[in-house]
Amino acid sequence: MKNLTVDIDQNSGFCFGVVYAIEMAEEILLEEGKLYCLGDIVHNDEEVHRLEKMGLQIINHETLKELKNAKVLIRAHGEPPSTYKIALENQLDLIDASCPVVLKLQNRIKNAYDKAEKIYIYGKHGHAEVMGLIGQTNKEAVVFQSLEELDLNSLPSYISLYSQTTKSTDNFYKIIDKLKEKGIEVNANDTICRQVSNRDKELKKFASQYEKIIFVSGTKSSNGKVLYNICKQQNENTYFVSNKEQVQEEWFDPKDRVGVCGATSTPMWLMEEVQKRILTF
């Protein structure tokens, strides 16, 4: 035995929007044994598999168009107006678990679009939340992942800037400063979820307290990739795993203090499984 000490970061795990969506899904599945979900309910394969065993069926937008008279969960990421239109036409019973923070952002973008503002969104191309946001603008909003994607010389003199809720706060404000340096007037709307953005500082502190860090996340999670890199920068002995089987005994030295943490899409039960496996070494 290596006599390892293993602690779980209590600030890691599901954000409240994901908790809300999963609790809603579980309640219906326990009562009815079946529920459709439009897209992965959370970007974590292990959690999705757990819910699929309860009767959750993941569908895409093409399947939604063919579905009639069924119950469908809208996940925390939110959806564009076109989804609600399809649901109405197909007599679908929508269980809307859109995160309140995302819904508020959608409404703000819709109001700005109705005022004919030039809308720019700092976010990941193709991300489910971003698709819901640009849907509020009839797909006219400009989405960019970095300023390098934009021709700053041809930008309007006045823009309304928003952010995907899970982006970096520091990067968002750097973008604002650079736009202003170019003489562009920016109506900046800080729409980043603080429960997510504050994880940066919390994780830096957590990662610095241990010899080894095991970061638990699904490979599809954008948030997971960002937070893993933050841990890695703080502690070079950081390892990325998606399940307990991927944890290797040779990573650890005798009497190591090990920290286990994860993304906003990582369930606590999965981090606990990883902890238990490490303690067997």
Side-chain angles (χ1 to χ4, degrees):
M1 294 287 288
K2 295 193 174 185
N3 295 316
L4 303 172
T5 300
V6 188
D7 298 325
I8 296 176
D9 174 25
Q10 294 305 308
N11 292 314
S12 285
F14 292 153
C15 61
F16 74 88
V18 173
V19 169
Y20 176 65
I22 287 176
E23 285 181 348
M24 196 173 287
E26 286 177 329
E27 188 176 324
I28 294 168
L29 290 168
L30 286 170
E31 287 179 3
E32 303 178 21
K34 181 180 179 181
L35 176 66
Y36 293 103
C37 181
L38 187 54
D40 285 344
I41 191 168
V42 63
H43 289 150
N44 187 282
D45 289 342
E46 302 294 322
E47 180 67 1
V48 170
H49 293 331
R50 182 184 74 85
L51 292 167
E52 283 177 333
K53 289 176 183 175
M54 293 178 68
L56 189 72
Q57 294 185 41
I58 307 297
I59 61 171
N60 57 28
H61 287 83
E62 290 306 309
T63 303
L64 183 77
K65 292 174 185 176
E66 307 301 321
L67 210 57
K68 308 281 185 184
N69 303 301
K71 193 169 281 189
V72 181
L73 182 85
I74 300 295
R75 57 191 173 163
H77 296 92
E79 283 291 322
S82 56
T83 296
Y84 295 88
K85 184 173 181 289
I86 292 168
L88 198 61
E89 291 169 350
N90 291 5
Q91 296 183 308
L92 298 173
D93 181 7
L94 284 188
I95 310 300
D96 199 338
S98 299
C99 173
V101 177
V102 173
L103 285 178
K104 183 178 179 181
L105 173 54
Q106 287 186 354
N107 289 332
R108 289 177 70 174
I109 288 177
K110 177 68 167 62
N111 290 336
Y113 177 71
D114 289 344
K115 294 175 186 174
E117 295 179 18
K118 301 295 183 184
I119 298 170
Y120 285 72
I121 300 171
Y122 171 49
K124 182 180 178 183
H125 294 293
H127 190 280
E129 180 190 321
V130 172
M131 298 306 291
L133 299 180
I134 62 176
Q136 310 303 318
T137 71
N138 199 29
K139 298 184 180 179
E140 292 176 23
V142 177
V143 176
F144 65 98
Q145 293 181 193
S146 69
L147 275 182
E148 285 69 33
E149 295 178 25
L150 304 177
D151 181 359
L152 299 185
N153 295 320
S154 65
L155 249 58
S157 58
Y158 178 92
I159 68 169
S160 286
L161 179 65
Y162 295 85
S163 173
Q164 179 181 335
T165 60
T166 53
K167 299 300 282 184
S168 161
T169 309
D170 290 345
N171 288 346
F172 182 68
Y173 281 96
K174 285 176 185 174
I175 287 167
I176 294 168
D177 290 341
K178 287 178 182 176
L179 289 170
K180 287 181 176 178
E181 285 171 12
K182 282 289 185 179
I184 298 164
E185 190 176 348
V186 183
N187 171 25
N189 298 272
D190 182 345
T191 52
I192 296 167
C193 175
R194 286 304 183 267
Q195 191 186 8
V196 175
S197 65
N198 287 342
R199 294 272 172 98
D200 295 23
K201 302 178 185 69
E202 293 164 352
L203 270 184
K204 282 179 184 176
K205 183 178 178 182
F206 182 80
S208 66
Q209 296 173 349
Y210 298 89
E211 276 86 41
K212 306 289 164 57
I213 292 292
I214 305 301
F215 188 88
V216 189
S217 173
T219 55
K220 296 178 186 175
S221 172
S222 303
N223 168 259
K225 289 169 187 159
V226 170
L227 294 181
Y228 163 72
N229 284 325
I230 286 169
C231 287
K232 188 76 172 174
Q233 288 165 11
Q234 192 68 34
N235 186 331
E236 62 179 12
N237 295 312
T238 296
Y239 300 89
F240 186 105
V241 301
S242 294
N243 54 56
K244 64 180 181 180
E245 286 78 17
Q246 293 177 356
V247 182
Q248 304 298 314
E249 185 173 356
E250 57 265 27
W251 294 344
F252 309 101
D253 296 315
K255 296 185 179 180
D256 265 350
R257 289 172 300 121
V258 182
V260 176
C261 52
T264 55
S265 53
T266 303
M268 183 57 70
W269 65 261
L270 188 56
M271 288 185 281
E272 289 170 350
E273 280 194 350
V274 168
Q275 179 192 42
K276 288 175 184 174
R277 174 171 168 80
I278 297 169
L279 287 171
T280 64
F281 297 151

